[in-house]
Amino acid sequence: MSTNIIVDDNVDSFKLSLVGESSNFNTLIKKLGKKSNPTQYKNVSELLNSKQRSSEVVILSEEKITRKAIQRITVNRPLAAIAVLVKINSRKNFPHGNNHAITFVDQRMSKNAIRINLQCALRVAEKRNRLQSLEAFLNSHSDATCQTLKTISESTWTATVPANYHDMTKSLLRLMQRIGVNRVLLVSSTDTGQVLTYESCKDVNSVNVEISNSKNLSALNKLTQSVSIVNSTEHAHKLGNLTDSPWAYAMVFKYNTPAIEGNELQQSFLVSFRQDLEGFNKNEIELASIMYSIIGLGLQKVAILNYNHSAARDWSDTFDSISEPLSIINKRYEIVRANKAFSRAVGKHITKLPGRKCYSLFSQRNSKCKNCLPISKSISSIPIKVDGRRNQKFYVWSYPIKTSNREVQRIHFYRNISVEHQLTTTLIQSERMQAIGDLLTAVSHEINNPLTGIISTVQVMLAENKKNVRTELYEDLQEIENSALRAVQIIDNLLGFGDNSTDSACSVEEGISSVIKFSKSSLRSIDLELDIDKELSDISVSRSSFQQILFNIITNASNAMSANGNLKILAKNKESSFIIHLEDNGKGMSKKTIQQIFEPFFTQKNKGRGTGLGMVIVKDLVNRMNGSIKINSTLGTGTSIQLQFPKTVEA
Amino acid sequence: MNILIVDDEKSITRALNRAFSRTGHVVTTANNGSSSISLLSESSYDLLLIDLIMPDLTGDQVIAWAIDQHIQLKIVLMTAYQDQKIDEISNSKKVSAVFRKPFNDVFALVKEIEAIA
């Protein structure tokens, strides 16, 4: 199409980007005038480094026309309309000297389509050369030009107009109406086509449209129509033979529509008119020719876009129906596109995903995930494990997308393995617990023997010193006996992890008081606040389990507190349960620590001081008592632990 | 009562010795299975208080030997282990009682054993 169409004053939204040797554009720039204000780039890379402008027409000079260049622009600037400038220097075809033709191209067009486009452009340029007054003519029809351009330009980036045969026909008719054609013959080979055509024509009143079935072409001897539009090459030839008239210009566009009910339907459009048509002068016919070639290009483009669009929609529907996250990643780890499940997994709208780094979106990382191989190299189909949001775990499979001429992309398939992960963790945990259990059994038996000796000896000594009850020795011996007996109790709890069936019962109040008595030495420098509901003296609990729970928690609390320690113990009676609330003002714990607190052998105490089993035992005993435990802690300010037990559990 | 106490834990035999002695019994102690066998073959006792798990001969091996030798005496077993074997042994008519270690009160143990004898 000719250059001055593009810079029509009414098309103000266009920004021109010219790519290639600037000398190639001299003529074009001169013709465009200052208003167009094009930006020039030496090569495609330079263009791609510049900021994207939404309504952009990128014109490549001839030497830059490569499929790769067009693809790069299409991929990186999806909103740009790409055109190529072709130098026409054939004296034979173009007696008026060197000229340029511009045609819009699309990466999605087949090679053949680009070739056809270029041929069309050349032919358009040829016409233009022949018509001295065409430029003036085009200017006087700027509305129509504009409309035509819009059809093309809009289709370039919206793929919605004209959306189907119906709209295309309508657009054609409107255009003809604008350029003054008032009689049209539409030929369709199918009844559906006729109905569609008829429907399309209803809106365009001022054009006198006759619709014919292609089967009756032979009956069209008396052609009075100015313009005939038929939908196959065959029909065009037939029509030509019938009328036996010279065709000024005829063009057939073929495209494949998406399969309809399994049958691929090949549509051809022929735009044809006769040079000696009544009521038209030569210039008008030439103009129409140009218009049709433009619209033809537009139609072809639309058809292709339509095809791609519906195919793309099929794909996106398919993608979105998959409930696991999927994404296409380029070699810079940027998301090219993703499905709805992915958008849900990362908590961002689907339109906000392209261009973002996969690792930052999915795993909130600053660099690629551990074990993720470079996008261009990885051929492994072994999944890698990544963390998602909210502690979710995923396996990611990465498959290369095999396209010969595109930059390397990969499709990532994510599978949520949080539940499996949880189960595995639980299994490992329970195996670990089993191992601990075995170890404890062995160890505690070994300890029980010397303990038996200690207890028995101390009891014998106490018996021997009965006369000296008031002496310090006697009290010391009592202390030894108590400690040894408590050790027995602790081992009992460790053993079996508290087979508390033999546990005796005591009241909640008694349980708490006895533990405080036990813990006197560790609570020596700590301010203790005690508040126990009176009703709790009637509620009974398993004595040693309850004592053990409180003892372990209080030991931890006293270890966490330094000077000015304050420990609150509240026991509250509820309807069907009771709550023990223990709150210290110790050093507190981080979130990570709280998560680890129930893990066996996790300890914050100095090496050799803690077993890392205290809270494990607490949790086990609480579970056995059908209770629950809640921990709240802030690093630096203290920890509060709330225990809740049902009253039904009575020893 | 003439008692033979056998346990590889010296503090236990020592304490039990004193506890039983205080209540007027005659106590002999041994700290392994083989020496208990020599003691049993040399002298006669009213009661054998023996630990189950010991390094050389186990309590039940000693008991089996004593039964085999038709040595007449009451047998009381003590153990720190929970094992199916204990149930088997305690069900045998030859063993009067099984006590689990540790004992919370050594004098209560003495009284129970006196009741058996």
Side-chain angles (χ1 to χ4, degrees), chain A residues 134-411:
Chain A
L134 185 67
E135 253 174 79
F137 216 94
L138 284 168
N139 288 336
S140 69
H141 286 84
S142 62
D143 265 358
T145 328
C146 179
Q147 183 62 41
T148 315
L149 251 187
K150 256 189 126 178
T151 312
I152 296 168
S153 60
E154 280 171 7
S155 68
T156 306
W157 49 75
T158 64
T160 52
V161 284
N164 49 38
Y165 175 75
H166 174 80
D167 287 342
M168 279 191 260
T169 316
K170 214 183 312 191
S171 301
L172 268 174
L173 289 172
R174 286 236 168 83
L175 189 73
M176 282 181 261
Q177 186 188 355
R178 272 178 181 270
I179 59 172
V181 176
N182 54 11
R183 282 167 295 168
V184 176
L185 169 70
L186 291 168
V187 185
S188 175
S189 54
T190 61
D191 290 346
T192 326
Q194 284 190 57
V195 173
L196 273 173
T197 313
Y198 175 72
E199 288 297 320
S200 316
C201 299
K202 278 207 301 199
D203 296 342
V204 193
N205 294 328
S206 57
V207 181
N208 179 16
V209 183
E210 273 181 49
I211 301 163
S212 174
N213 190 314
S214 54
K215 285 171 197 158
N216 308 326
L217 270 183
S218 53
L220 298 172
N221 273 331
K222 295 164 197 168
L223 275 179
T224 52
Q225 287 73 22
S226 313
V227 176
S228 309
I229 302 176
V230 295
N231 66 355
S232 83
T233 331
E234 195 194 338
H235 300 160
H237 290 312
K238 265 193 192 170
L239 214 55
N241 293 339
L242 280 171
T243 52
D244 198 24
S245 305
W247 296 91
Y249 195 75
M251 213 183 273
V252 179
F253 297 103
K254 277 187 185 174
Y255 69 92
N256 293 326
T257 55
I260 298 163
E261 287 170 8
N263 298 315
E264 199 162 89
L265 185 70
Q266 194 178 63
Q267 289 272 36
S268 316
F269 281 89
L270 174 91
V271 181
S272 64
F273 52 92
R274 293 167 55 180
Q275 211 159 16
D276 57 346
L277 292 173
E278 203 185 332
F280 287 92
N281 65 29
K282 205 180 164 195
N283 284 349
E284 282 175 321
I285 292 163
E286 290 291 351
L287 175 73
S289 160
I290 293 168
M291 286 302 135
Y292 294 153
S293 47
I294 291 167
I295 228 179
L297 289 174
L299 290 180
Q300 188 180 31
K301 182 163 233 174
V302 165
I304 291 161
L305 285 174
N306 252 348
Y307 180 78
N308 282 322
H309 189 65
S310 66
R313 205 158 58 200
D314 279 355
W315 271 111
S316 70
D317 286 350
T318 311
F319 267 48
D320 288 342
S321 312
I322 297 171
S323 58
E324 306 283 7
L326 279 173
S327 65
I328 295 172
I329 311 286
N330 66 19
K331 64 180 173 189
R332 293 179 299 280
Y333 301 95
E334 288 161 359
I335 285 159
V336 178
R337 57 189 297 187
N339 70 349
K340 279 186 181 155
F342 187 94
S343 134
R344 276 194 300 274
V346 301
K348 288 217 158 44
H349 193 264
I350 200 153
T351 56
K352 300 264 162 74
L353 304 175
R356 302 279 306 270
K357 302 276 186 194
C358 57
Y359 48 75
S360 90
L361 265 183
F362 206 86
S363 305
Q364 284 91 49
R365 294 172 63 93
N366 297 323
S367 59
K368 71 184 182 78
C369 301
K370 207 177 146 194
N371 299 330
C372 180
L373 292 167
I375 292 279
S376 53
K377 293 199 179 128
S378 159
I379 46 156
S380 163
S381 61
I382 300 163
I384 65 158
K385 218 186 238 179
V386 303
D387 294 331
R389 290 162 76 235
R390 302 194 186 109
N391 292 325
Q392 305 233 64
K393 308 273 175 205
F394 288 85
Y395 266 149
V396 186
W397 281 265
S398 176
Y399 306 102
I401 297 174
K402 282 174 189 153
T403 335
S404 53
N405 45 13
R406 256 201 212 162
E407 75 163 312
V408 184
Q409 293 190 338
R410 302 187 71 85
I411 184 152

